[in-house]
């Protein structure tokens, strides 16, 4: 058994400080709720030291507190991923506390839905800024810590960019979001080609219908404030599905849970995916096949 594969013997563990990501450091953006929170908690459970980043630093700290209470190690860094100073801020905090970074999960994002012919420039620009420009700038800032030339002392390192089924197939009312999520795939493949020689893997995870605040009813009032503008989150008129609801466009006939989404991200970050790079993993319950 190779040294790399020996790290995963025993598979998932329930104890902190051991596991698939033992001793590694991961930055997770948009990690105060939904998929990002589940990723942060699962990574910590698998032994990673997690930098929990979110626009709402108080909520990010709650996730950190939860990790620490369970015996893990984490740091909260608040801020807007689209801000010019954000990449340096979070990398400086990460290196100061942990001395390295192994994984970056670019999960932060939101939707700003309009029909194409009524989409204003600002709704286009902000989605591109958060979903494409922000991940690019954070990855670029991390380059000195990820592109390690010493082949003998390389640790497991990866970039995981979050996309969507909308980026693969398009979606009504989401010209901006679909375009941004399609761009993420091209960015990821380029990183895989440019940084592969340094032992860095880069993959995309494209989610389908996962139960988060982005897929709940817009009438529930979830919103975020970006650059002074309040953006409502969710789907207009979305109703809570009945226990026996059918989903004819999803072969598994149900939406996914945030913890299921997080498990896919863990796979891509872990040594289980040591020879997986430049790939787009669809986590959709079969939707879109």
């Amino acid at each position: 058994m190779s040294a790399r594969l020996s790290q995963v013997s025993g598979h998932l563990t329930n104890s902190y400080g051991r596991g698939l990501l033992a001793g590694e450091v991961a930055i997770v953006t948009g990690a105060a709720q939904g998929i990002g929170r589940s990723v942060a908690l699962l990574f910590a459970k698998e032994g990673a030291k997690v930098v929990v980043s979110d626009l709402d630093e108080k909520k990010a700290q709650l996730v950190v507190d939860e990790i620490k209470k369970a015996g893990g190690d984490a740091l909260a860094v608040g801020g807007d991923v689209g801000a010019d100073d954000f990449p340096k801020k979070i990398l400086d905090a990460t290196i100061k506390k942990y001395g390295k970074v192994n994984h970056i999960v670019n999960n932060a994002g939101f939707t700003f839905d309009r029909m194409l012919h009524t989409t204003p420039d600002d709704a286009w620009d902000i989605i591109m800024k958060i979903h494409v420009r922000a991940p690019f700038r954070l990855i670029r800032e991390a380059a000195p810590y990820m592109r390690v030339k010493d082949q003998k002392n390389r640790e497991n390192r990866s970039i995981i960019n979050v996309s969507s089924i909308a980026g693969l197939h398009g979606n009504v009312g989401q010209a901006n979001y679909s375009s941004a999520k399609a761009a993420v795939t091209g960015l990821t493949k380029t990183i895989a080609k440019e940084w592969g020689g340094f032992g860095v893997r880069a993959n995309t995870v494209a989610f389908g219908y996962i139960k988060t605040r982005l897929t709940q009813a817009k009438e529930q009032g979830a919103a975020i404030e970006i650059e002074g503008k309040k953006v409502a989150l969710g789907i207009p008129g979305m109703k809570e599905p009945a226990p026996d609801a059918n989903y004819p466009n999803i072969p598994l006939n149900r939406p996914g849970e945030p913890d299921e989404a997080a498990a896919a991200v863990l796979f891509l970050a872990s040594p289980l995916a040591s020879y997986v790079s430049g790939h787009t993993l669809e986590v959709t319950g079969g939707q879109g096949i």
Side-chain angles (χ1 to χ4, degrees):
M1 182 181 291
S2 69
R4 183 176 294 278
L5 288 178
S6 67
Q7 297 178 43
V8 304
S9 60
H11 306 289
L12 301 185
T13 176
N14 290 323
S15 60
Y16 282 69
R18 299 168 55 194
L20 292 172
L21 304 179
E24 298 176 2
V25 177
I27 294 173
V28 183
T29 66
Q33 58 271 311
I35 294 171
R37 175 180 176 274
S38 289
V39 170
L41 293 174
L42 183 57
F43 274 33
K45 192 173 185 179
E46 288 300 317
K49 300 169 184 178
V50 185
V51 180
V52 179
S53 173
D54 200 86
L55 186 63
D56 190 329
E57 188 167 6
K58 291 182 179 179
K59 288 185 178 179
Q61 185 61 50
L62 291 176
V63 177
V64 168
D65 293 344
E66 187 173 351
I67 290 171
K68 289 184 174 180
K69 185 177 180 180
D73 192 352
L75 169 70
V77 178
D80 178 359
V81 296
D84 287 345
D85 64 347
F86 179 81
K88 187 175 188 307
K89 175 185 176 181
I90 193 168
L91 260 299
D92 284 353
T94 301
I95 300 305
K96 180 179 179 180
K97 185 169 178 64
Y98 297 122
K100 64 177 182 177
V101 59
N102 296 84
H103 308 283
I104 297 175
V105 180
N106 284 304
N107 169 74
F110 59 94
T111 53
F112 199 161
D113 296 352
R114 297 286 191 278
M115 296 300 285
L116 188 150
H117 64 287
T118 63
T119 300
D121 286 352
D122 63 344
W124 178 274
D125 293 342
I126 191 61
I127 290 297
M128 290 295 172
K129 182 177 183 179
I130 298 302
H131 291 270
V132 185
R133 181 177 183 267
F136 154 70
R137 296 184 70 247
L138 178 53
I139 294 164
R140 184 181 63 184
E141 188 72 24
Y145 310 104
M146 302 290 285
R147 291 161 52 94
V148 179
K149 295 181 180 180
D150 184 356
Q151 295 191 28
K152 293 183 179 180
N153 296 311
R154 285 179 184 167
E155 295 183 343
N156 178 31
R157 287 185 170 86
S158 74
I159 304 292
I160 300 167
N161 293 320
V162 172
S163 184
S164 165
I165 194 170
L168 303 178
H169 304 293
N171 198 27
V172 174
Q174 293 188 325
N176 52 359
Y177 185 73
S178 297
S179 298
K181 288 309 189 183
V184 164
T185 303
L187 172 63
T188 303
K189 289 179 181 293
T190 299
I191 298 163
K193 291 182 176 182
E194 291 191 3
W195 291 14
F198 297 94
V200 178
R201 297 177 297 105
N203 292 290
T204 303
V205 56
F207 293 123
Y209 179 10
I210 307 295
K211 292 192 288 187
T212 70
R213 59 181 182 165
L214 297 186
T215 57
Q216 68 184 18
K218 183 172 286 188
E219 289 79 8
Q220 290 189 22
I224 59 173
E225 185 173 315
I226 298 291
E227 298 180 354
K229 180 187 290 283
K230 185 177 180 180
V231 179
L233 304 177
I235 301 172
M238 186 70 170
K239 297 181 179 179
E240 184 69 22
D244 59 347
N246 288 314
Y247 300 87
N249 62 330
I250 303 176
L252 287 184
N253 200 37
R254 64 176 179 84
E257 299 290 343
D259 287 352
E260 293 179 302
V265 178
L266 172 64
F267 164 71
L268 291 175
S270 79
L272 290 169
S274 61
Y275 201 59
V276 178
S277 193
H279 179 67
T280 299
L281 177 60
E282 297 183 35
V283 184
T284 67
Q287 183 178 4
I289 61 174

